[in-house]
Amino acid sequence: MTARNITTIMRRELAGYFATPVAYVFIVIFLIMSAAFTFYLGGFYEREIADLEPFFRFHPWLYLFLVPAVGMRLWAEERKYGTIELLLTLPLTVSEAVVGKFLAAWLFVGLALALTFPIWITVNVLGDPDNGVIVAAYLGSWLMAGGMLAISAALSAVTRNQVVAFILSVVICFGFLLSGLPMVLDLFRGWLPQTLLDGIANLSFLAHFTSISRGVIDLRDLIYFALVIGFWLLANRIILEMKKAD
C-alpha cells in the first residue's frame, strides 16, 4: 500500500461527503442530539459536577445509529451506481481503496466530534474539570466510532442496498455494545467455560470505551480498538475481492 494512493482516495471521499447536504445534515443532527442528551437527559447542570460524563455517557448509543448511517454508503453506493468497477480498475489496490475510504469516513466523524468543543468550553467556564480525562474520553469516543465504522464499511460491501447495509451494521454494532453486559453473559453462563465468557466480555465496545473515558489509557484498550478496526477492514477487503465478479 502507498500513502499517496490512500490519500487520493481519502480526499475523493471527503469531497464527496461535502458535495451534498447529507454531510451537513449529519453534523447538525449529531450536534443537536449530543447537546440534548448532555443537558437534558444527562442532567448536566443538576449534577453540579465539572466534567463531561453526561456528554460521553450517551455516545455509544448515539453512534449506534449515526455511524452506520455514514458507513452504509461507502461501498453500497459505489455498487448501486456501478462506479465500483471503475474505482477498482484504477492503478491502486483494493486494500488502498478500503483504507482510504475508511479514513475519510473516520475523519468526517472526527470532525463532527470536534465540533462539540463548545460543550468542553462550557464546562471549563462553569468549573475546573480534569481536562486530561476529557481528552482521553474524546480519544475513546473517536476510537469507538472507528470500530463501528469499520464494521459498517465491511457490511456496506456486502450489498448494493444502503438500507440493508445500515440494518446489518446496527445489529452487529449492537451486539458488540451489549456483549459485556451481565444479561448477555448470563445467557452463556453455565454451558460455556469461563475463558470463553471472558472472551465475549472483552468484545464489548462499552467496557473498553468506559475504561478510556475515565482517563485511564490502557494499552489493552488501544490494542482492542486497533484489532477491531484491522479485522473488519480485512473483512471488507476479502468481501470486495469475493464480489468482484458480481
Side-chain angles (χ1 to χ4, degrees):
M1 287 194 294
T2 65
R4 182 180 178 183
N5 286 343
I6 292 173
T7 304
T8 300
I9 291 294
M10 188 176 69
R11 286 177 177 171
R12 169 185 177 270
E13 283 297 310
L14 273 177
Y17 281 118
F18 292 99
T20 67
V22 175
Y24 303 100
V25 170
F26 170 85
I27 289 174
V28 169
I29 290 175
F30 178 73
L31 295 178
I32 290 175
M33 293 186 72
S34 293
F37 285 150
T38 302
F39 293 106
Y40 294 101
L41 295 181
F44 179 80
Y45 292 113
E46 290 78 2
R47 294 173 68 247
E48 298 183 347
I49 300 174
D51 64 17
L52 285 184
E53 191 275 335
F55 172 65
F56 290 109
R57 187 195 314 163
F58 297 99
H59 275 206
W61 311 108
L62 194 57
Y63 287 157
L64 180 60
F65 296 99
L66 293 184
V67 170
V70 174
M72 69 181 184
R73 61 172 291 278
L74 285 175
W75 293 105
E77 189 177 69
E78 299 272 10
R79 198 178 292 283
K80 179 180 178 180
Y81 293 109
T83 53
I84 191 169
E85 289 82 3
L86 176 62
L87 177 65
L88 296 181
T89 56
L90 295 176
L92 52 83
T93 65
V94 174
S95 297
E96 289 167 346
V98 167
V99 174
K101 275 178 166 285
F102 168 76
L103 288 179
W106 201 15
L107 285 176
F108 173 68
V109 174
L111 172 64
L113 183 61
L115 289 175
T116 62
F117 73 91
I119 298 177
W120 189 354
I121 293 175
T122 300
V123 78
N124 273 274
V125 170
L126 296 176
D128 184 24
D130 187 335
N131 285 308
V133 172
I134 293 176
V135 169
Y138 265 103
L139 173 64
S141 177
W142 192 50
L143 289 172
M144 181 172 58
M148 291 189 181
L149 197 54
I151 292 172
S152 303
L155 296 174
S156 174
V158 173
T159 174
R160 67 184 64 206
N161 188 317
Q162 295 190 36
V163 176
V164 173
F166 174 79
I167 293 172
L168 289 175
S169 301
V170 170
V171 170
I172 299 296
C173 290
F174 190 53
F176 270 84
L177 277 177
L178 295 186
S179 63
L181 297 182
M183 66 177 184
V184 175
L185 297 178
D186 286 344
L187 296 175
F188 301 101
R189 207 180 304 278
W191 59 280
L192 279 184
Q194 187 60 42
T195 304
L196 288 180
L197 282 177
D198 292 341
I200 294 173
N202 282 328
L203 289 176
S204 171
F205 279 137
L206 278 178
H208 295 279
F209 168 64
T210 302
S211 174
I212 297 177
S213 66
R214 288 173 179 160
V216 181
I217 300 180
D218 193 314
L219 184 60
R220 289 171 295 184
D221 296 322
L222 301 181
I223 291 174
Y224 164 79
F225 283 113
L227 288 176
V228 169
I229 292 172
F231 173 84
W232 284 99
L233 290 184
L234 177 61
N236 191 343
R237 178 185 178 280
I238 293 172
I239 292 169
L240 287 174
E241 294 282 4
M242 291 175 63
K243 295 181 80 68
K244 262 184 178 179
D246 290 356

